[in-house]
């Protein structure tokens, strides 16, 4: 009875997670990141990249974006005709911009990003447990096969095949699941692992890391009772993310009276200064053990 309960439960959770990963549509940027009709026409008329960037900077001045291209330009998608939010990338297979895109997975025929990353992790975990369960139950027959204690029937080849398939998938999925657990702990996507996001102070692969505990909550949510269920509980909206670099940057955390000069700096100010909303910023509440104190931070705290 226990065997059947565990088998059916693991299989059900595996199928549920796999279903949610496949059929959850990738989240795309909201309309506020799209250029207005006038800006779009002006952008298309301009031939000089400098003039185009000036249009994008003007359109992005109130958007919560803190990353740029490697050449310090505003990240813009010509295909979707919108300013890319932080951690957003265009998927050539889906032909859309995907929020917090990790990769396009051919096994699920879908993009893995902000909307279904938790489901993808649970799919890997439950498929891993399912393969382990199958291999463990067949192991005793596999041992009897090698010791010639199994009756000489065609079934013994089925046992051999089933054990090897389960063990092979277990090893493969284990490596992939371990890699994504490491990514969650570091608060990185697969894309960011190979190409670090560029902030005001330059590229930083740990720019979005808030510490392992907060990184985990950002993906799975605040309530632990929902962590193992394939229901959406990730924090935020996918368009803006808490980042330790924003905390340590005085120009992005000062009061509104100090923000005005930064906003009017034109081409020399590619970073908008709109602060994160309260719902997005709750991960930053309390102590910030991931931030190393230094002279610049002390000056920022003292208002000097």
């Amino acid at each position: 009875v226990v065997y059947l309960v565990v088998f059916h439960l693991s299989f059900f959770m595996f199928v549920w997670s796999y279903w949610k990963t496949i059929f959850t549509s990738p989240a795309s940027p909201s309309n506020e990141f799209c250029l207005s009709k006038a800006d779009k026409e002006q952008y298309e008329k301009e031939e000089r990249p400098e003039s185009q960037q000036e249009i994008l900077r003007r359109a992005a001045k109130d958007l919560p974006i803190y990353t740029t291209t490697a050449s310090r330009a505003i990240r813009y998608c010509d295909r979707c005709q919108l300013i890319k939010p932080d951690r957003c990338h265009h998927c050539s297979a889906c032909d859309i911009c995907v929020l917090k895109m990790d990769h396009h997975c051919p096994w699920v025929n879908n993009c893995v990003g902000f909307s279904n990353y938790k489901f993808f992790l649970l799919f890997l975990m439950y498929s891993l447990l399912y393969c382990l369960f199958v291999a463990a139950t067949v192991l005793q027959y596999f041992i009897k096969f090698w010791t010639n204690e199994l009756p000489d029937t065609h079934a013994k080849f089925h046992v051999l095949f089933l054990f090897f398939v389960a063990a092979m998938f277990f090893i493969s999925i284990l490596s992939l699941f371990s890699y994504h657990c490491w990514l969650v702990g570091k608060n990185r996507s697969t894309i960011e692992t190979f190409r670090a996001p560029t902030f005001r102070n330059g590229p930083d692969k740990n720019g979005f890391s808030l510490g392992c505990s907060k990184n985990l909550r950002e993906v799975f949510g605040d309530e632990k009772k929902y962590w193992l269920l394939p229901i959406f509980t990730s924090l935020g909206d996918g368009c803006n993310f808490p980042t330790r670099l924003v905390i340590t940057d005085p120009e992005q955390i000062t009061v509104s009276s100090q923000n005005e000069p930064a906003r009017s700096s034109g081409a020399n100010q590619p970073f908008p200064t709109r602060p994160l909303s309260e719902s997005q910023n709750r991960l930053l509440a309390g102590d910030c053990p991931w931030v190393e104190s230094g002279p610049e931070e002390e000056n920022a705290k003292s208002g000097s």
Side-chain angles (χ1 to χ4, degrees):
V1 176
V2 176
Y3 171 84
L4 292 177
V5 170
V6 175
F7 176 82
H8 287 94
L9 180 61
S10 60
F11 181 75
F12 173 74
M13 296 302 293
F14 162 73
V15 173
W16 188 10
S17 302
Y18 189 48
W19 178 275
K20 293 286 287 186
T21 306
I22 293 176
F23 292 103
T24 299
S25 301
S28 298
S30 56
N31 292 332
E32 65 175 333
F33 291 91
C34 298
L35 293 180
S36 64
K37 184 177 181 180
D39 287 338
K40 189 181 299 183
E41 292 177 353
Q42 187 177 358
Y43 179 87
E44 293 174 351
K45 290 179 181 178
E46 292 290 347
E47 296 181 355
R48 297 172 58 248
E50 295 81 5
S51 301
Q52 291 179 332
Q53 278 298 304
E54 182 60 33
I55 297 173
L56 295 180
R57 289 191 184 97
R58 185 170 61 251
K61 67 178 181 179
D62 291 325
L63 296 178
I65 56 175
Y66 300 103
T67 60
T68 64
T69 65
S71 59
R72 297 290 181 169
I74 296 293
R75 299 172 65 245
Y76 180 75
C77 179
D78 292 304
R79 185 77 176 177
C80 299
Q81 295 184 326
L82 54 81
I83 296 172
K84 294 181 182 179
D86 294 338
R87 316 185 80 175
C88 175
H89 298 275
H90 186 86
C91 176
S92 57
C94 298
D95 197 26
I96 57 173
C97 282
V98 179
L99 297 179
K100 196 186 176 183
M101 180 178 175
D102 187 89
H103 68 288
H104 184 88
C105 182
W107 294 101
V108 299
N109 192 31
N110 197 6
C111 265
V112 177
F114 175 76
S115 60
N116 61 352
Y117 188 59
K118 177 191 174 183
F119 307 148
F120 177 73
L121 290 173
L122 292 179
F123 157 64
L124 292 179
M125 185 185 73
Y126 286 120
S127 58
L128 185 68
L129 293 177
Y130 187 64
C131 290
L132 178 62
F133 183 76
V134 172
T137 54
V138 180
L139 179 61
Q140 56 177 325
Y141 301 103
F142 180 75
I143 295 175
K144 290 181 180 180
F145 171 80
W146 283 107
T147 57
N148 293 323
E149 296 180 11
L150 197 67
D152 190 14
T153 62
H154 294 291
K156 66 179 183 180
F157 295 104
H158 299 164
V159 170
L160 182 65
F161 175 78
L162 182 60
F163 178 80
F164 271 112
V165 169
M168 181 179 63
F169 272 97
F170 174 80
I171 295 174
S172 301
I173 297 174
L174 178 62
S175 60
L176 182 60
F177 180 67
S178 301
Y179 172 69
H180 279 279
C181 287
W182 178 79
L183 289 180
V184 171
K186 296 292 185 179
N187 204 341
R188 301 179 199 168
S189 65
T190 300
I191 295 176
E192 291 166 351
T193 302
F194 294 97
R195 185 172 67 250
T198 302
F199 294 86
R200 182 191 300 272
N201 299 324
D204 191 330
K205 59 185 179 181
N206 294 318
F208 291 104
S209 180
L210 308 176
C212 187
S213 176
K214 291 181 174 64
N215 294 342
L216 191 65
R217 286 169 51 201
E218 189 171 307
V219 175
F220 289 94
D222 289 325
E223 300 188 50
K224 295 183 179 180
K225 61 183 178 181
Y226 298 123
W227 281 12
L228 298 181
L229 297 177
I231 56 178
F232 185 81
T233 55
S234 301
L235 299 181
D237 59 3
C239 291
N240 58 91
F241 298 88
T243 165
R244 64 185 182 87
L245 298 183
V246 174
I247 304 175
T248 59
D249 192 340
E251 295 185 50
Q252 293 179 349
I253 60 171
T254 49
V255 294
S256 59
S257 61
Q258 294 174 328
N259 278 344
E260 292 305 320
R263 289 191 180 188
S264 61
S265 57
N268 295 327
Q269 176 54 268
F271 291 88
T273 54
R274 190 177 101 181
L276 294 169
S277 62
E278 183 179 354
S279 62
Q280 299 297 315
N281 208 31
R282 57 178 169 161
L283 281 174
L284 305 180
D287 296 332
C288 301
W290 60 90
V291 178
E292 297 181 2
S293 59
E296 294 183 359
E297 294 174 42
E298 296 300 326
N299 292 337
K301 292 179 182 178
S302 62
S304 57

